[in-house]
Amino acid sequence: MDPYREYQDYVVASRLLVALGLSREILSLSQYARLRLQRLKLAREGRFAALEALDERLRYGVWSNPLRLRDFLQKTARAPYWASPYAFEGLLFSEERSRLRYPGQAGEYYLGWLRLPHLLMAPQAFEEVLREQEARAEALPLFLNAFHRIPGP
């Protein structure tokens, strides 16, 4: 997976948790990268207990792992952001929304993941949803402000 896309997914999940009062932390790109490297080291060493806590902090697999997504959905079940793609994009800054190819694009992408937990026992349908999500991911630009900052003098 593209590390920038992974970070973007992390930020969106974190913003949702912060908006609901379930977290206070959104890591910068450099902080995230440092912890992601730590995660790789823990995985290589087989330190799975430490890995689990770090995965929670990194929101690792929140969108693409059906079991993590199910848990995430249980935590955020009352979020008004789940109502529609446009409601979901309330988590984005206006500059970020302006970078999308069309209104609702990011919302469609993230809401598209919500189908996965229900399809665990239907492998063909599950694979089809994954293919659809891959196509959406390819079309979705990197929209976070963190990727579009122009260094000052």
Side-chain angles (χ1 to χ4, degrees):
M1 174 179 236
D2 174 353
Y4 296 113
R5 175 84 52 208
E6 182 180 312
Y7 178 70
Q8 184 164 278
D9 291 348
Y10 157 80
V11 168
V12 171
S14 293
R15 284 183 186 173
L16 179 57
L17 292 173
V18 167
L20 297 173
L22 300 171
S23 177
R24 301 173 102 189
E25 177 180 62
I26 300 178
L27 300 168
S28 69
L29 180 56
S30 62
Q31 291 170 317
Y32 183 86
R34 203 169 17 260
L35 288 178
R36 188 66 172 84
L37 290 172
Q38 183 180 346
R39 184 193 185 282
L40 286 172
K41 182 181 176 201
L42 292 171
R44 274 190 230 115
E45 295 171 355
R47 297 177 52 202
F48 300 112
L51 194 63
E52 188 64 32
L54 193 54
D55 281 355
E56 181 72 26
R57 189 170 177 204
L58 291 171
R59 323 282 186 241
Y60 193 73
V62 160
W63 300 110
S64 57
N65 179 318
L67 299 176
R68 288 192 188 277
L69 179 57
R70 185 189 63 206
D71 293 343
F72 185 72
L73 287 170
Q74 287 174 348
K75 283 186 207 174
T76 62
R78 297 177 187 234
Y81 305 101
W82 297 131
S84 72
Y86 307 105
F88 191 86
E89 287 179 7
L91 295 167
L92 308 183
F93 297 117
S94 61
E95 301 89 13
E96 293 170 338
R97 285 190 299 275
S98 74
R99 293 185 189 108
L100 300 173
R101 290 192 170 87
Y102 58 88
Q105 183 184 20
E108 287 176 2
Y109 171 72
Y110 290 103
L111 294 178
W113 289 113
L114 303 185
R115 299 173 291 167
L116 285 184
H118 308 291
L119 298 175
L120 281 173
M121 301 308 286
Q124 289 180 334
F126 187 88
E127 287 297 321
E128 180 61 30
V129 167
L130 286 180
R131 280 192 292 280
E132 289 173 17
Q133 286 304 105
E134 286 173 14
R136 283 186 177 129
E138 288 177 18
L140 184 67
L142 292 174
F143 55 78
L144 288 184
N145 285 342
F147 301 134
H148 296 275
R149 290 200 178 115
I150 299 170

